[in-house]
Amino acid sequence: MFVSQSGTAWAVQEIPTPEDYFGFEMGTERKLANWTNLTGFYEQLAKTSGRVKVDTLGTTTVGHPFIMVTVTSEENQGRLDELHGIQMKLADPRTITGTTELEELYEKGKTVVLITHQIHATEVGGAQTAARLLHRLASSDSEKVKEILDNVILVDIPSLNPDGTEWVANWYMESVGTEMEGGPMPWLYHYYVGHDNNRDWYAFTQKETEMTVLGAHNQWHPHIVHDIHQMGGGGARIMFPPYIDPIEHNVDPGLVTAVNMLGSYMAAEVTAQGKKGVVTSAIYDGFSPARSYQHYHGGARILSETASARMATSVEIAPETIGGGREYDAATASANYPDPWRGGVWGLPDIVEYMDAGAMALLTNAAKNRRYWLENFYKVNYRAVKGWPEWPEAWVIPAKQENKSGLAYVLRILRMGDVEVYETNVPVKGDGKTFPAGSFVVPMQQPYASFAQTLLEVQHYPDLREFRGGPPKRPYDVTAHTLPLLMNVDAVPLDDLQVPLEALIAGGAIPTPSFDFQLPEEFKGDQAPRIGLYKSAQEPMEGGWTRWMFDQHVLQYDTLKDKRARKGALVEDYDVIVFQDQSKESIENGYRKGTVPDSYAGGLGEEGVVALEAFVREGGRVVAIEESTEFIIQLLGLKVSNTVARIDPASFYVPGSILEVDLEEESPLARGLGNSVNAWYWGSSRAFDVSEPEATVAARYGRGNPLRSGWLLGPEHLAGKAAVVEVSVGKGSVVLIGFQPNYRAQSVATWPLLFNAMMPENSRRPATEEENKK
Ligand SMILES: [Zn+2]
């Protein structure tokens, strides 16, 4: 019994099962619990189980609660602060006095595991699995669970994208029993960035990333992080690490081997249970820090990917369709895929079963090998505070940089990534250079030095081929993340400091992480151009990233929807219309009727296309980026073509790299940028041949080899080709931008070019007399 504040006596409630609470078991065919109900369930677990604590870390982009559930034995919960203190000491070996203290920390500490679910909202199994797993840990008295609770502190984020979890569950449940059951939700499932939300683990732009990094990672520095995903449904049933090459070279070997060991253990446990279709050493590489914060923060990152169904509706996979795969063949038994799945029915019950089994295997390993995890964690951090021989003594980010937004952004990233950064009071001298007082110093003997190193240095991605002389091996994501190049900031590695580091950083201010977005004056007040950012039901993620960037700048703009475009008379409402990277087919036709409710079907359509052409000819300006340039070129019959459209990847390949672009200094589009800029180039980027008499070229890919960071095969195909083209059409104009000027909100270097492009007065066409009178 306990007595409430009002004096009423209540029976101590029993821990509710998911079935009691939701009316169905987690992983029931065609049933999804939404976020509102899931958070209610976790509150209930916390109220009824002494093993469970729920913290609300803040609210999401659209206002849902963002929660973290901490689960361990009641005894451990009772001394959580002490256990947290032990973990913080192991995280920073400089704070440990000697072997006696270290031995005591090893004796008393617990393995800290962070499990994160359903960052990709349509991968619906993740959040359902969380409720089942957390309930078991809250209530079971089995030996297995007891061993986990005694030895492990589990920090669980039951959804990394609660907005998407809520939207997708509601959308799906509405669709059940209709012709559209399990069909696509026609908007990005993260408000701004959709599927790219798991590419944000060093830029920290989105609220959900920020809350997770500050509230979970930096609070606990977990030894193990397990991010639960789903993949396509035609091959293996579940994937665990080892990852395939390349592994980014600043990841400590002790973490690479820890990942290999743990992933292999999970595969072994799940296979031992008779579950078929477990693959390791396939599909996913370990290169980009954008997906793996913890590789640079002392933690082993386990990605698992379970085969998908049609949301929560089962699918049947015909055996003869199974085959192929990346670094394995789904039809053939092999060392890394010993027990192939041979097809049949696959649905949410299977997905949750596999995910749950994987998570339990991980927790079991964490419990049984507690001592190994603590020792390995300490040693990784110890090597970092000693400094790796490959690293400089310090990085210096000189004071007084031109790009204030870029400088603030880089400092914010380093500080949010728990990197020690000092604004020095004295000049920095080293390697024959001098930097004034007020410069920022990053000492490279500190726990998270690897995070600073990978983000500040230039990437030289290995030239990996399918076979000798054959096509390139596609990286899983991109190949460059050099912040100084992306953000137009100078950063200098120094090896031979003349003033000792201690003196340099003594009394130095620690920068507070914050953005400093500077909206150009022309976009303020009544004279600002009226901007329409085209937004279809198939909005590309780059469109969402652009909304985010505009919103952060407090730029006034309108999202231009198909319905408005079809009405015509666009000049009445807009001066500029921006198309992000989107195909002609998608812009014109959108979703097919019957695949989504009618109000979301269709694209610009014939009326919209006619209206857009009229908009330009009547004096409007269109800015088209990457693939959408094709739509505009065809619409207006421009004599501009993409020269790299049909080149074999063995001859030309740029899978996400930073290239130098030369600017025509007299072009208004280049204003404020000097004679060159570093730009983001990837699969959907373009290089133009221009024979249009009304065109001027504002930027060209650098001659010679334009590569500055990442990987580029066949530089001769780009060198000297047009990258940005402006064309006068009727009374209006278009700007075609071949590269991505707002790559995941990181390419600060090219933001000024995008803003310049959106200023109608930057049009080459002289104003008419009539316009001058206005
Ligand atoms: Zn995913």
Side-chain angles (χ1 to χ4, degrees), residues 636-754:
L636 300 170
L638 307 179
K639 294 192 184 69
V640 178
S641 61
N642 176 17
T643 68
V644 291
R646 280 179 203 84
I647 307 176
D648 169 5
S651 310
F652 175 69
Y653 191 59
V654 198
S657 305
I658 301 168
L659 308 188
E660 188 169 337
V661 170
D662 296 334
L663 300 166
E664 297 295 331
E665 279 191 81
E666 67 275 24
S667 168
L669 296 179
R671 203 173 56 189
L673 285 169
N675 56 13
S676 78
V677 67
N678 293 310
W680 184 260
Y681 195 106
W682 55 0
S684 50
S685 297
R686 300 284 196 264
F688 302 114
D689 263 341
V690 183
S691 56
E692 173 66 48
E694 293 300 312
T696 42
V697 173
R700 294 182 187 277
Y701 297 104
R703 291 177 200 282
N705 190 339
L707 182 69
R708 291 297 167 266
S709 187
W711 194 20
L712 162 60
L713 291 181
E716 67 277 11
H717 293 284
L718 280 181
K721 297 288 179 190
V724 180
V725 180
E726 191 188 352
V727 190
S728 298
V729 180
K731 294 180 184 168
S733 57
V734 301
V735 179
L736 308 172
I737 304 179
F739 54 80
Q740 179 48 253
N742 182 37
Y743 160 69
R744 295 177 186 165
Q746 294 171 35
S747 52
V748 178
T750 48
W751 285 353
L753 191 138
L754 179 56

Side-chain angles (χ1 to χ4, degrees), residues 119-120 123 195 198 229-230 305:
I119 191 166
H120 295 146
E123 299 166 11
H195 194 82
N198 79 323
H229 284 252
Q230 286 175 221
E305 298 267 359

Side-chain angles (χ1 to χ4, degrees), residues 67-114:
I67 68 165
M68 177 172 90
V69 184
T70 308
V71 189
T72 187
S73 69
E74 282 202 56
E75 202 232 314
N76 290 342
Q77 284 284 9
R79 53 190 197 101
L80 204 58
D81 286 348
E82 179 202 337
L83 295 171
H84 178 260
I86 292 171
Q87 179 65 0
M88 290 302 99
K89 286 216 140 203
L90 290 169
D92 189 349
R94 296 169 300 186
T95 64
I96 299 171
T97 51
T99 47
T100 316
E101 186 184 13
L102 181 59
E103 190 52 41
E104 198 186 331
L105 297 171
Y106 284 157
E107 261 327 291
K108 288 186 177 166
K110 305 294 174 189
T111 318
V112 179
V113 176
L114 168 63

